[in-house]
Amino acid sequence: MARDGFWPKALAVLVAALVILNLLFAFLAESITAAACGARPSATAPLSGTWLALSGDPSTYLPPAGCAMPVLPIRLADAAALVVLAVLAVWAGMVWARYQQSDAKFVADLRQRPGFATASEIRRHLSAKAVLRRAGILLTGRRNPAPGEVGWKVGRSRGLDVYVSIEDSVALEGAPRSGKGYRILISAILDWSGPLITTSTTNDNLTATLQMRRRRGEVFVFDPQQLSGIRDTLRINPIAGCEDPLVAVQRGTAIVTGTALGASATNQEWAAAAGTVLSRLLHAAAVGHRNAAELYQWGSTPALARTAVEILRSDGAPGWGDGLEAVLIGDEKLLSSTWFGVQAAVAPLAIPQIREVLQPTPGGPVFDAEAFLNGENTLYLLGSGSGAGAMGGFLSAILDDTVEVARRKALASPGARLEQPLGLILDEIANMMRWAALPKVMADGGGRGICTFVVLQALSQAETAWSRAEADTIWAAATAKVLLGGASQVAHLRDVEALLGFRERRRTQRSWHTQYAGVSTSEQQERLPLMTADEIRRLPQDVGLLTYRNRRGVLLDLKAWDERRDAATIQAAKRGTEAEQHEVFAQRYTRPTNTADAAGSAPAEEES
């Protein structure tokens, strides 16, 4: 079998090279002769320059009168030109070979494939104009909204900005260090125009966006594990509001399910029992005007919880005291298993710094979810779901409380939708906590104005934090899925490959035979994946992949936040936050100088 068109192309390249060389040799011969003799020679044949370069015979030229052609300088110049051309050819070949293996060539080939969304499809369904069509429904009473107020901007494609509606739940999946924050999340935080809650296990997103969000509204940073480096962080009382038995039940359940016990599928029965007990303790602490320190004492040892029984009987909800006592005097094995979950939930309160954060000072700043939802305010939740002082349960409770207030507020609003949509940008959520409400919020929050942007390193990470069925629900509820390169979970990549669909390719084959005269030609219609699992894995950091509802896949160009038009302003604000963080961390972690030791060492230094 011969490669179609190879020899004609090779012959054309060879002829072109010979023509260029002949022109170059002729130019050198005439230029050098003109410099030596003051006039140009006349060529008597089409290949005069090439013949002179190869043979040294100047007979194919008519030299100027009274002057012989300088053959040696001409041939030396021809040799030098050949060397330069050879070097350039080798360099060009290396550049071309490198390009053939480069990300640029890979992405250019992807863009040429039929099967990705065209510019007209993007303009019709994913452009700024497309998301603005529903602005009257999504933002009741607001005139002339900007595209960023009704849509998440996820990148650019075919020269157009790509938006997905804020009523669409978004799942961003990218391996560690794939540029999720740098290229997408920081811009999403900066551009969100309503109340916003964002989570993270690090302070990267906070550092880049804190000062800019302060220009929009009030900013709260809840950082019980002191990860942010911010001085005035928020203090939240987990007992506040638990006078209402319904609030106590909801909060107790949220705290327990946000812990490692709640994340274990095999311990759901004990997690439910522990949540019930903790809700009783929270209610007792609220009606008895107790603090987090006493809540910790009750939760750490069943014997100390008898004080809560007495409070519940005198001031609590009817029957709650008897119910708690029944648990305390019941079977010891059941009590031990139940109290294991309660102890895990209140364990962070054993650390004085964390307990202090959960006991607001009188007259200090108070987080009011109702007021928070009325403006372009921001709540940063920083913490870890594992290790010493794991705060997953309390972080989950704060998120749960705020979303519940948002739901009630939406029901009382025109169209049963928040007038100012609440944004939830949940970075590293699976590493922080198991927020039990996430699958439900992903599924129906958009219709209430609760807009979710969940960030995962891999779908298996969600399966670890939630159950397999819940992780599938989260993934399915995300009507917009943004994928970055670097993933290595083959089964999941195969699912994405199937989600993108297929493309048709026609291939022509020609073959010849020595036994029989003639050439046979055959055509094959191949059905290939639009992108294979390996190609999805290979996506470079500045390219993403969007699957949106029932639309075709979109290749995204991802622009980093420091390429924005307002990058200089963001950089200046970021430097201000970094200065504060540096000062706070230096004061916290730098060991004080022992002045007595320093004074005692001075004489020894002078003697030496």
Side-chain angles (χ1 to χ4, degrees):
M1 191 186 314
R3 288 182 291 177
D4 297 340
F6 173 76
W7 291 114
K9 292 178 182 177
L11 182 60
V13 170
L14 180 61
V15 171
L18 290 175
V19 170
I20 292 172
L21 281 175
N22 183 64
L23 292 175
L24 177 62
F25 291 151
F27 171 76
L28 291 174
E30 294 176 11
S31 298
I32 293 173
T33 303
C37 301
R40 290 180 174 273
S42 300
T44 59
L47 300 178
S48 298
T50 303
W51 177 253
L52 175 60
L54 294 176
S55 65
D57 181 7
S59 59
T60 55
Y61 278 102
L62 294 176
C67 183
M69 292 185 65
V71 175
L72 182 59
I74 291 173
R75 298 194 71 188
L76 289 175
D78 291 340
L82 281 175
V83 171
V84 171
L85 288 176
V87 171
L88 289 175
V90 171
W91 175 79
M94 292 173 62
V95 170
W96 177 252
R98 194 179 299 118
Y99 171 74
Q100 292 296 313
Q101 303 298 322
S102 68
D103 288 343
K105 175 65 162 58
F106 169 60
V107 174
D109 288 345
L110 289 179
R111 296 191 194 284
Q112 294 175 358
R113 291 181 183 177
F116 286 108
T118 62
S120 62
E121 288 178 274
I122 295 170
R123 191 176 295 108
R124 189 162 54 250
H125 302 290
L126 292 164
S127 65
K129 288 185 178 180
V131 296
L132 285 172
R133 291 191 197 108
R134 288 184 57 80
I137 298 174
L138 300 178
L139 299 176
T140 56
R142 191 177 302 184
R143 297 181 179 179
N144 301 321
E149 297 181 72
V150 290
W152 303 101
K153 183 179 176 181
V154 293
R156 288 178 61 83
S157 182
R158 303 192 187 278
L160 299 169
D161 288 334
V162 177
Y163 289 87
V164 296
S165 173
I166 58 173
E167 62 183 340
D168 290 300
S169 295
V170 182
L172 169 61
E173 182 182 355
R177 314 313 304 167
S178 59
K180 299 185 293 293
Y182 179 57
R183 299 187 183 278
I184 298 177
L185 293 182
I186 289 175
S187 289
I189 294 170
L190 292 168
D191 293 338
W192 185 257
S193 61
L196 172 68
I197 301 177
T198 180
T199 64
S200 185
T201 57
T202 65
N203 60 14
D204 295 352
N205 296 346
L206 177 144
T207 303
T209 61
L210 178 69
Q211 300 294 342
M212 298 297 290
R213 289 301 301 183
R214 280 179 174 163
R215 300 182 183 185
R216 288 181 173 270
E218 198 169 2
V219 171
F220 304 92
V221 180
F222 184 64
D223 176 29
Q225 292 167 284
Q226 300 180 346
L227 304 174
S228 66
I230 303 301
R231 287 191 186 87
D232 300 322
T233 55
L234 182 66
R235 296 187 177 196
I236 291 179
N237 186 0
I239 300 170
C242 289
E243 297 87 355
D244 183 344
L246 185 61
V247 173
V249 169
Q250 178 185 332
R251 192 167 300 168
T253 302
I255 291 174
V256 171
T257 55
T259 64
L261 179 69
S264 172
T266 59
N267 291 325
Q268 292 301 308
E269 180 181 351
W270 303 118
T276 300
V277 171
L278 184 59
S279 66
R280 271 52 174 176
L281 298 181
L282 286 166
H283 183 54
V287 298
H289 306 289
R290 305 302 175 92
N291 56 28
E294 290 168 287
L295 175 65
Y296 168 69
Q297 291 177 350
W298 295 346
S300 60
T301 307
L304 297 177
R306 294 190 179 277
T307 305
V309 174
E310 297 172 4
I311 295 174
L312 290 172
R313 279 179 172 163
S314 61
D315 301 314
W320 279 38
D322 294 336
L324 180 58
E325 186 179 35
V327 175
L328 294 173
I329 65 175
D331 183 86
E332 289 188 5
K333 291 184 178 179
L334 293 177
L335 176 62
S336 176
S337 299
T338 300
W339 222 265
F340 175 76
V342 178
Q343 289 173 328
V346 301
L349 299 178
I351 300 174
Q353 296 93 323
I354 291 178
R355 190 165 62 239
E356 183 181 359
V357 171
L358 298 176
Q359 295 183 128
T361 56
V366 176
F367 179 75
D368 181 353
E370 191 79 33
F372 173 81
L373 294 169
N374 290 331
E376 296 188 43
N377 306 310
T378 311
L379 172 60
Y380 293 90
L381 297 178
L382 274 74
S384 169
S386 60
M391 288 296 297
F394 292 95
L395 294 167
S396 177
I398 295 169
L399 195 54
D400 216 51
D401 285 351
T402 309
V403 169
E404 186 60 30
V405 172
R407 283 184 181 279
R408 294 198 300 265
K409 189 176 178 65
L411 292 174
S413 301
R417 188 188 296 270
L418 289 172
E419 294 183 14
Q420 288 201 82
L422 169 63
L424 304 176
I425 299 180
L426 306 178
D427 186 18
E428 299 285 357
I429 183 72
N431 286 335
M432 295 178 66
M433 59 183 137
R434 178 188 180 271
W435 185 33
L438 180 60
K440 180 176 176 57
V441 172
M442 292 278 289
D444 64 7
R448 298 285 176 261
I450 302 172
C451 313
T452 311
F453 196 126
V454 64
V455 184
L456 301 169
Q457 293 179 357
L459 186 60
S460 58
Q461 189 183 39
E463 295 172 3
T464 302
W466 293 268
S467 66
R468 174 64 184 271
E470 288 173 318
D472 289 342
T473 300
I474 292 171
W475 185 251
T479 49
K481 303 173 178 67
V482 180
L483 298 103
L484 306 183
S488 57
Q489 192 178 2
V490 176
H492 179 53
L493 290 174
R494 293 292 185 195
D495 291 340
V496 176
E497 176 185 303
L499 195 66
L500 290 172
F502 296 86
R503 58 191 172 99
E504 302 292 336
R505 185 178 72 174
R506 178 178 297 177
R507 187 173 62 167
T508 302
Q509 292 182 325
R510 290 189 177 89
S511 59
W512 58 275
H513 303 274
T514 56
Q515 186 175 359
Y516 305 101
V519 177
S520 63
T521 303
S522 63
E523 283 192 358
Q524 293 182 345
Q525 194 78 10
E526 296 180 318
R527 195 164 185 259
L528 303 173
L530 181 60
M531 288 185 70
T532 64
D534 176 62
E535 288 172 334
I536 299 170
R537 179 190 62 82
R538 283 184 56 203
L539 284 174
Q541 285 197 341
D542 58 350
V543 176
L545 181 64
L546 169 66
T547 64
Y548 179 70
R549 293 185 178 269
N550 60 343
R551 308 260 63 89
R552 295 198 285 182
V554 179
L555 276 178
L556 297 172
D557 295 318
L558 304 178
K559 184 169 68 172
W561 68 262
D562 55 7
E563 299 176 53
R564 293 164 52 111
R565 291 182 179 179
D566 57 351
T569 305
I570 300 170
Q571 285 279 16
K574 180 174 180 283
R575 284 192 292 270
T577 304
E578 288 172 339
E580 179 182 348
Q581 290 172 324
H582 177 74
E583 186 175 342
V584 169
F585 286 134
Q587 291 174 353
R588 185 180 301 159
Y589 299 119
T590 302
R591 299 180 65 182
T593 304
N594 190 322
T595 55
D597 291 345
S601 63
E605 292 175 354
E606 290 176 358
E607 289 179 5
S608 61

